[in-house]
Amino acid sequence: MRQTNKENLRNLFLAGFLIAGILSAGQTVAQNARIKIDIDRRIGEVSKNIYGNFVEHLGRCVYGGIYDEGSPLADKDGIRLDVLEAVKGLNVSLIRYPGGNFVSNYHWLDGVGPKEERPPRMELAWGRLESNRFGTNEFVDFARRVDAEPYFAVNLGTGTIEEAQSWVEYCNVKEGPFYAELRKKHGYPEPYNIKYWSLGNEMDGFWQMGHLNAEDYSKKAREAAKLMKLTSPDIKLIAAGSSNYRPNADPNEWNATILHELRNVIDYIALHIYVGNVGDNYYNYLATPLVLEDRTQIVKGMILKEMAYAQRESKDPIYIAWDEYNVWYRARGREFMTGTHALEERYNLEDALVIAGFLNAFIRNADVVKMANMAQLVNVIAPIFTSESGIFKQTIYYPLSLFANNVFGTSLDVAVDCGTYDTDKFFIGLDESSTKQEDVPYLDVSATYRDGEVVLCVVNRNKDKAIITDIISQEGLFDGDFEIYEVNGQGIKSENDFGKTTVETIQKPSVKVKKAAKITYEFPAHSFTMIKGAIII
Ligand code: AHR
């Protein structure tokens, strides 16, 4: 028989334990806080696809990143083995390819067949020469080697719906028609069965090659979807939702229109967000994940409205795919956005905390956010950075890796009682709208539960103070060894570099808990902490 929590508490010899962390020099303790976990209060199942990533033909993401022909660090296929190992550490579930803005003038046929015969093209989105030596088949090989599922974006800018159809045929049809036979001729006898396909990229953006208004996009996407599904009925389709949040844009109008028009056709709506510490204000910046959460809630409401009238074949509702998210504000402007070294953003500790905040937000919205892709994987606003002779892992690598390797199961509706702050009115990034956030909790928390184990993820946004926190189990008792991992650094501007790792994951000594309804932990200033252990009923 299950005991109630009250009975358990009565029986406890030790009602809790205190992990008395030693305060680092200069740190003081902010007021105490409480986190209540209840394994019966469930938000939804965490989709592994929130640990997706993104590879675009941009700067050194492909060439000089994952693929480096002739490099002593690459294998015979041109794959950089040091990059491959680092990617494996991110446990990437799926990888979006080949863009991004690039895809809106990409013709997939250019990138298949004998390499010497592939045409070089002017790359108009990011100002490079595209050799096309890396294309569909090379990408699928790479994705398989890191155990990730490929996710393709079709060109709905300068591309035709027929071109989208033929790519699906090339990838997913076993044999018979022209493009399936072409794949076989190219040396790939088995179909790839690519499941996820996005219908264009950022089509609401005036910068997009072939940009459309919402009505025209909906028409083109619907017809492309028809041909693609007739070719391969089991594919999942992702519509290009809002990416344009500049002050004069109307992202909600775009989302409402395309959700209405495509509600019977699509499986996901894609949203994009890039934030940055533009005003060099730490507390404003650390609140940016709340903006992502606000936008998620707004789109969730729109989806609910459309689902009430939809006539869908799929039994699932439309989900949200945050299929581009990251910090991106330093490598902006023409000089940093064209050519071989485009978008080479270097990250620090505060950026890593924002990424942990985004990941917490995905978990807290696990009922509707079923896909997310950090943009991008290597060199281009990326967790992995290469040179000709090696790599280093940027600060943002560490929270992503912790989540992707540990946080699964059911997302729990956690109650957090802690100090809060209000932000100024601020721009959340370059090319982004402004916001003002009130009551931003110093502790940003998510929790998941799977097979008797709870994983708690906590960002302490407080820049100067540790927060002593009671973590309370409402149902069942904490028991056994609790693993603790922390991402932190000397200061919020600490960065990594080649041969210099100042921000990384530190595994703290694990703590033994003996049937306790409460544990007390001290979250250090400007840190991300993951605590993992059993709850017994
Ligand atoms: O990820 C970099 C760029 O950001 C992508 O190409 C585009 O989709 C977005 O604007």
Side-chain angles (χ1 to χ4, degrees), residues 137-160:
N137 299 307
E138 291 79 20
F139 176 73
V140 172
D141 282 347
F142 171 77
R144 287 185 171 165
R145 287 177 67 175
V146 295
D147 211 13
E149 196 164 350
Y151 159 27
F152 283 165
V154 302
N155 173 1
L156 286 195
T158 65
T160 62

PDB file of all heavy atoms in Angstrom, residues 137-160:
ATOM      1  N   ASN A 137      23.937  12.546 -49.869  1.00  0.00           N
ATOM      2  CA  ASN A 137      24.437  11.228 -49.449  1.00  0.00           C
ATOM      3  C   ASN A 137      25.535  11.341 -48.403  1.00  0.00           C
ATOM      4  O   ASN A 137      25.579  10.559 -47.450  1.00  0.00           O
ATOM      5  CB  ASN A 137      24.921  10.442 -50.673  1.00  0.00           C
ATOM      6  CG  ASN A 137      23.777  10.223 -51.647  1.00  0.00           C
ATOM      7  OD1 ASN A 137      22.722   9.720 -51.274  1.00  0.00           O
ATOM      8  ND2 ASN A 137      23.968  10.660 -52.888  1.00  0.00           N
ATOM      9  N   GLU A 138      26.404  12.349 -48.568  1.00  0.00           N
ATOM     10  CA  GLU A 138      27.464  12.555 -47.570  1.00  0.00           C
ATOM     11  C   GLU A 138      26.836  12.929 -46.229  1.00  0.00           C
ATOM     12  O   GLU A 138      27.282  12.486 -45.171  1.00  0.00           O
ATOM     13  CB  GLU A 138      28.427  13.661 -48.016  1.00  0.00           C
ATOM     14  CG  GLU A 138      29.308  13.315 -49.212  1.00  0.00           C
ATOM     15  CD  GLU A 138      28.582  13.422 -50.549  1.00  0.00           C
ATOM     16  OE1 GLU A 138      27.551  14.104 -50.619  1.00  0.00           O
ATOM     17  OE2 GLU A 138      29.046  12.789 -51.528  1.00  0.00           O
ATOM     18  N   PHE A 139      25.778  13.737 -46.278  1.00  0.00           N
ATOM     19  CA  PHE A 139      25.154  14.153 -45.015  1.00  0.00           C
ATOM     20  C   PHE A 139      24.494  12.968 -44.309  1.00  0.00           C
ATOM     21  O   PHE A 139      24.627  12.801 -43.090  1.00  0.00           O
ATOM     22  CB  PHE A 139      24.116  15.270 -45.250  1.00  0.00           C
ATOM     23  CG  PHE A 139      23.413  15.625 -43.980  1.00  0.00           C
ATOM     24  CD1 PHE A 139      24.069  16.347 -42.990  1.00  0.00           C
ATOM     25  CD2 PHE A 139      22.125  15.174 -43.716  1.00  0.00           C
ATOM     26  CE1 PHE A 139      23.456  16.628 -41.768  1.00  0.00           C
ATOM     27  CE2 PHE A 139      21.498  15.453 -42.514  1.00  0.00           C
ATOM     28  CZ  PHE A 139      22.165  16.182 -41.540  1.00  0.00           C
ATOM     29  N   VAL A 140      23.790  12.153 -45.073  1.00  0.00           N
ATOM     30  CA  VAL A 140      23.125  10.994 -44.438  1.00  0.00           C
ATOM     31  C   VAL A 140      24.185  10.076 -43.821  1.00  0.00           C
ATOM     32  O   VAL A 140      24.021   9.593 -42.697  1.00  0.00           O
ATOM     33  CB  VAL A 140      22.231  10.237 -45.450  1.00  0.00           C
ATOM     34  CG1 VAL A 140      21.709   8.935 -44.841  1.00  0.00           C
ATOM     35  CG2 VAL A 140      21.061  11.121 -45.878  1.00  0.00           C
ATOM     36  N   ASP A 141      25.299   9.885 -44.520  1.00  0.00           N
ATOM     37  CA  ASP A 141      26.390   9.058 -43.954  1.00  0.00           C
ATOM     38  C   ASP A 141      26.865   9.650 -42.636  1.00  0.00           C
ATOM     39  O   ASP A 141      27.045   8.937 -41.642  1.00  0.00           O
ATOM     40  CB  ASP A 141      27.593   9.007 -44.914  1.00  0.00           C
ATOM     41  CG  ASP A 141      27.359   8.041 -46.056  1.00  0.00           C
ATOM     42  OD1 ASP A 141      26.403   7.247 -45.976  1.00  0.00           O
ATOM     43  OD2 ASP A 141      28.127   8.107 -47.042  1.00  0.00           O
ATOM     44  N   PHE A 142      27.063  10.966 -42.624  1.00  0.00           N
ATOM     45  CA  PHE A 142      27.550  11.625 -41.401  1.00  0.00           C
ATOM     46  C   PHE A 142      26.540  11.443 -40.260  1.00  0.00           C
ATOM     47  O   PHE A 142      26.894  11.078 -39.145  1.00  0.00           O
ATOM     48  CB  PHE A 142      27.795  13.117 -41.664  1.00  0.00           C
ATOM     49  CG  PHE A 142      28.073  13.885 -40.402  1.00  0.00           C
ATOM     50  CD1 PHE A 142      29.322  13.819 -39.786  1.00  0.00           C
ATOM     51  CD2 PHE A 142      27.072  14.645 -39.799  1.00  0.00           C
ATOM     52  CE1 PHE A 142      29.565  14.502 -38.598  1.00  0.00           C
ATOM     53  CE2 PHE A 142      27.315  15.335 -38.611  1.00  0.00           C
ATOM     54  CZ  PHE A 142      28.557  15.260 -38.012  1.00  0.00           C
ATOM     55  N   ALA A 143      25.270  11.715 -40.562  1.00  0.00           N
ATOM     56  CA  ALA A 143      24.236  11.634 -39.510  1.00  0.00           C
ATOM     57  C   ALA A 143      24.194  10.229 -38.925  1.00  0.00           C
ATOM     58  O   ALA A 143      24.091  10.048 -37.706  1.00  0.00           O
ATOM     59  CB  ALA A 143      22.879  12.027 -40.089  1.00  0.00           C
ATOM     60  N   ARG A 144      24.303   9.238 -39.789  1.00  0.00           N
ATOM     61  CA  ARG A 144      24.268   7.855 -39.290  1.00  0.00           C
ATOM     62  C   ARG A 144      25.456   7.558 -38.389  1.00  0.00           C
ATOM     63  O   ARG A 144      25.330   6.829 -37.402  1.00  0.00           O
ATOM     64  CB  ARG A 144      24.246   6.879 -40.459  1.00  0.00           C
ATOM     65  CG  ARG A 144      22.891   6.893 -41.116  1.00  0.00           C
ATOM     66  CD  ARG A 144      22.815   5.857 -42.182  1.00  0.00           C
ATOM     67  NE  ARG A 144      21.436   5.741 -42.657  1.00  0.00           N
ATOM     68  CZ  ARG A 144      21.094   5.144 -43.768  1.00  0.00           C
ATOM     69  NH1 ARG A 144      22.027   4.609 -44.526  1.00  0.00           N
ATOM     70  NH2 ARG A 144      19.837   5.078 -44.126  1.00  0.00           N
ATOM     71  N   ARG A 145      26.587   8.137 -38.711  1.00  0.00           N
ATOM     72  CA  ARG A 145      27.784   7.862 -37.896  1.00  0.00           C
ATOM     73  C   ARG A 145      27.678   8.459 -36.506  1.00  0.00           C
ATOM     74  O   ARG A 145      28.342   8.012 -35.580  1.00  0.00           O
ATOM     75  CB  ARG A 145      29.040   8.364 -38.626  1.00  0.00           C
ATOM     76  CG  ARG A 145      29.361   7.442 -39.796  1.00  0.00           C
ATOM     77  CD  ARG A 145      30.540   7.933 -40.580  1.00  0.00           C
ATOM     78  NE  ARG A 145      31.793   7.866 -39.836  1.00  0.00           N
ATOM     79  CZ  ARG A 145      32.974   8.161 -40.349  1.00  0.00           C
ATOM     80  NH1 ARG A 145      33.059   8.532 -41.615  1.00  0.00           N
ATOM     81  NH2 ARG A 145      34.061   8.086 -39.624  1.00  0.00           N
ATOM     82  N   VAL A 146      26.855   9.489 -36.346  1.00  0.00           N
ATOM     83  CA  VAL A 146      26.669  10.044 -35.004  1.00  0.00           C
ATOM     84  C   VAL A 146      25.319   9.610 -34.429  1.00  0.00           C
ATOM     85  O   VAL A 146      24.854  10.140 -33.427  1.00  0.00           O
ATOM     86  CB  VAL A 146      26.804  11.587 -34.967  1.00  0.00           C
ATOM     87  CG1 VAL A 146      28.219  12.001 -35.316  1.00  0.00           C
ATOM     88  CG2 VAL A 146      25.798  12.277 -35.883  1.00  0.00           C
ATOM     89  N   ASP A 147      24.698   8.642 -35.105  1.00  0.00           N
ATOM     90  CA  ASP A 147      23.453   8.065 -34.611  1.00  0.00           C
ATOM     91  C   ASP A 147      22.317   9.088 -34.539  1.00  0.00           C
ATOM     92  O   ASP A 147      21.489   9.038 -33.612  1.00  0.00           O
ATOM     93  CB  ASP A 147      23.718   7.454 -33.221  1.00  0.00           C
ATOM     94  CG  ASP A 147      22.824   6.255 -32.981  1.00  0.00           C
ATOM     95  OD1 ASP A 147      22.221   5.796 -33.951  1.00  0.00           O
ATOM     96  OD2 ASP A 147      22.715   5.825 -31.814  1.00  0.00           O
ATOM     97  N   ALA A 148      22.319  10.017 -35.456  1.00  0.00           N
ATOM     98  CA  ALA A 148      21.256  11.027 -35.472  1.00  0.00           C
ATOM     99  C   ALA A 148      20.374  10.805 -36.699  1.00  0.00           C
ATOM    100  O   ALA A 148      20.817  10.247 -37.704  1.00  0.00           O
ATOM    101  CB  ALA A 148      21.862  12.433 -35.525  1.00  0.00           C
ATOM    102  N   GLU A 149      19.138  11.258 -36.601  1.00  0.00           N
ATOM    103  CA  GLU A 149      18.216  11.126 -37.721  1.00  0.00           C
ATOM    104  C   GLU A 149      18.325  12.372 -38.603  1.00  0.00           C
ATOM    105  O   GLU A 149      18.284  13.492 -38.086  1.00  0.00           O
ATOM    106  CB  GLU A 149      16.802  11.026 -37.130  1.00  0.00           C
ATOM    107  CG  GLU A 149      15.817  10.509 -38.101  1.00  0.00           C
ATOM    108  CD  GLU A 149      14.530  10.036 -37.431  1.00  0.00           C
ATOM    109  OE1 GLU A 149      14.453   9.934 -36.190  1.00  0.00           O
ATOM    110  OE2 GLU A 149      13.593   9.786 -38.205  1.00  0.00           O
ATOM    111  N   PRO A 150      18.453  12.211 -39.924  1.00  0.00           N
ATOM    112  CA  PRO A 150      18.493  13.394 -40.786  1.00  0.00           C
ATOM    113  C   PRO A 150      17.110  14.042 -40.875  1.00  0.00           C
ATOM    114  O   PRO A 150      16.096  13.343 -40.894  1.00  0.00           O
ATOM    115  CB  PRO A 150      18.893  12.851 -42.156  1.00  0.00           C
ATOM    116  CG  PRO A 150      19.294  11.434 -41.939  1.00  0.00           C
ATOM    117  CD  PRO A 150      18.629  10.967 -40.699  1.00  0.00           C
ATOM    118  N   TYR A 151      17.086  15.352 -40.926  1.00  0.00           N
ATOM    119  CA  TYR A 151      15.839  16.126 -41.064  1.00  0.00           C
ATOM    120  C   TYR A 151      16.103  17.133 -42.180  1.00  0.00           C
ATOM    121  O   TYR A 151      16.952  18.008 -42.034  1.00  0.00           O
ATOM    122  CB  TYR A 151      15.548  16.776 -39.700  1.00  0.00           C
ATOM    123  CG  TYR A 151      14.638  17.992 -39.664  1.00  0.00           C
ATOM    124  CD1 TYR A 151      13.654  18.219 -40.625  1.00  0.00           C
ATOM    125  CD2 TYR A 151      14.749  18.907 -38.626  1.00  0.00           C
ATOM    126  CE1 TYR A 151      12.830  19.329 -40.559  1.00  0.00           C
ATOM    127  CE2 TYR A 151      13.928  20.025 -38.543  1.00  0.00           C
ATOM    128  CZ  TYR A 151      12.978  20.234 -39.521  1.00  0.00           C
ATOM    129  OH  TYR A 151      12.166  21.338 -39.444  1.00  0.00           O
ATOM    130  N   PHE A 152      15.393  16.977 -43.288  1.00  0.00           N
ATOM    131  CA  PHE A 152      15.684  17.809 -44.458  1.00  0.00           C
ATOM    132  C   PHE A 152      14.710  18.982 -44.597  1.00  0.00           C
ATOM    133  O   PHE A 152      13.519  18.841 -44.324  1.00  0.00           O
ATOM    134  CB  PHE A 152      15.617  16.980 -45.743  1.00  0.00           C
ATOM    135  CG  PHE A 152      16.835  16.105 -45.957  1.00  0.00           C
ATOM    136  CD1 PHE A 152      16.811  15.070 -46.881  1.00  0.00           C
ATOM    137  CD2 PHE A 152      18.005  16.324 -45.256  1.00  0.00           C
ATOM    138  CE1 PHE A 152      17.932  14.267 -47.083  1.00  0.00           C
ATOM    139  CE2 PHE A 152      19.135  15.526 -45.445  1.00  0.00           C
ATOM    140  CZ  PHE A 152      19.093  14.500 -46.365  1.00  0.00           C
ATOM    141  N   ALA A 153      15.270  20.102 -45.058  1.00  0.00           N
ATOM    142  CA  ALA A 153      14.434  21.261 -45.386  1.00  0.00           C
ATOM    143  C   ALA A 153      14.418  21.395 -46.904  1.00  0.00           C
ATOM    144  O   ALA A 153      15.478  21.365 -47.539  1.00  0.00           O
ATOM    145  CB  ALA A 153      15.027  22.524 -44.765  1.00  0.00           C
ATOM    146  N   VAL A 154      13.238  21.524 -47.483  1.00  0.00           N
ATOM    147  CA  VAL A 154      13.162  21.695 -48.939  1.00  0.00           C
ATOM    148  C   VAL A 154      13.172  23.179 -49.295  1.00  0.00           C
ATOM    149  O   VAL A 154      12.832  24.021 -48.465  1.00  0.00           O
ATOM    150  CB  VAL A 154      11.916  21.002 -49.559  1.00  0.00           C
ATOM    151  CG1 VAL A 154      11.911  19.519 -49.256  1.00  0.00           C
ATOM    152  CG2 VAL A 154      10.614  21.657 -49.108  1.00  0.00           C
ATOM    153  N   ASN A 155      13.568  23.441 -50.515  1.00  0.00           N
ATOM    154  CA  ASN A 155      13.653  24.819 -51.010  1.00  0.00           C
ATOM    155  C   ASN A 155      12.274  25.272 -51.495  1.00  0.00           C
ATOM    156  O   ASN A 155      11.827  24.879 -52.567  1.00  0.00           O
ATOM    157  CB  ASN A 155      14.692  24.845 -52.150  1.00  0.00           C
ATOM    158  CG  ASN A 155      14.750  26.188 -52.865  1.00  0.00           C
ATOM    159  OD1 ASN A 155      14.034  27.119 -52.511  1.00  0.00           O
ATOM    160  ND2 ASN A 155      15.614  26.283 -53.871  1.00  0.00           N
ATOM    161  N   LEU A 156      11.617  26.106 -50.697  1.00  0.00           N
ATOM    162  CA  LEU A 156      10.343  26.678 -51.170  1.00  0.00           C
ATOM    163  C   LEU A 156      10.521  28.149 -51.552  1.00  0.00           C
ATOM    164  O   LEU A 156       9.557  28.876 -51.709  1.00  0.00           O
ATOM    165  CB  LEU A 156       9.234  26.510 -50.135  1.00  0.00           C
ATOM    166  CG  LEU A 156       8.670  25.089 -49.978  1.00  0.00           C
ATOM    167  CD1 LEU A 156       7.358  25.107 -49.205  1.00  0.00           C
ATOM    168  CD2 LEU A 156       8.464  24.376 -51.305  1.00  0.00           C
ATOM    169  N   GLY A 157      11.797  28.575 -51.656  1.00  0.00           N
ATOM    170  CA  GLY A 157      12.089  29.932 -52.114  1.00  0.00           C
ATOM    171  C   GLY A 157      12.152  29.933 -53.623  1.00  0.00           C
ATOM    172  O   GLY A 157      11.150  30.173 -54.304  1.00  0.00           O
ATOM    173  N   THR A 158      13.353  29.583 -54.171  1.00  0.00           N
ATOM    174  CA  THR A 158      13.493  29.530 -55.626  1.00  0.00           C
ATOM    175  C   THR A 158      13.185  28.139 -56.165  1.00  0.00           C
ATOM    176  O   THR A 158      13.239  27.923 -57.377  1.00  0.00           O
ATOM    177  CB  THR A 158      14.927  29.911 -56.050  1.00  0.00           C
ATOM    178  OG1 THR A 158      15.824  28.910 -55.532  1.00  0.00           O
ATOM    179  CG2 THR A 158      15.327  31.277 -55.514  1.00  0.00           C
ATOM    180  N   GLY A 159      12.900  27.202 -55.271  1.00  0.00           N
ATOM    181  CA  GLY A 159      12.645  25.824 -55.696  1.00  0.00           C
ATOM    182  C   GLY A 159      11.185  25.620 -56.069  1.00  0.00           C
ATOM    183  O   GLY A 159      10.312  26.387 -55.679  1.00  0.00           O
ATOM    184  N   THR A 160      10.928  24.528 -56.787  1.00  0.00           N
ATOM    185  CA  THR A 160       9.546  24.221 -57.186  1.00  0.00           C
ATOM    186  C   THR A 160       9.006  23.082 -56.319  1.00  0.00           C
ATOM    187  O   THR A 160       9.775  22.350 -55.688  1.00  0.00           O
ATOM    188  CB  THR A 160       9.493  23.753 -58.658  1.00  0.00           C
ATOM    189  OG1 THR A 160      10.269  22.535 -58.761  1.00  0.00           O
ATOM    190  CG2 THR A 160      10.054  24.808 -59.591  1.00  0.00           C
TER     191      THR A 160
END
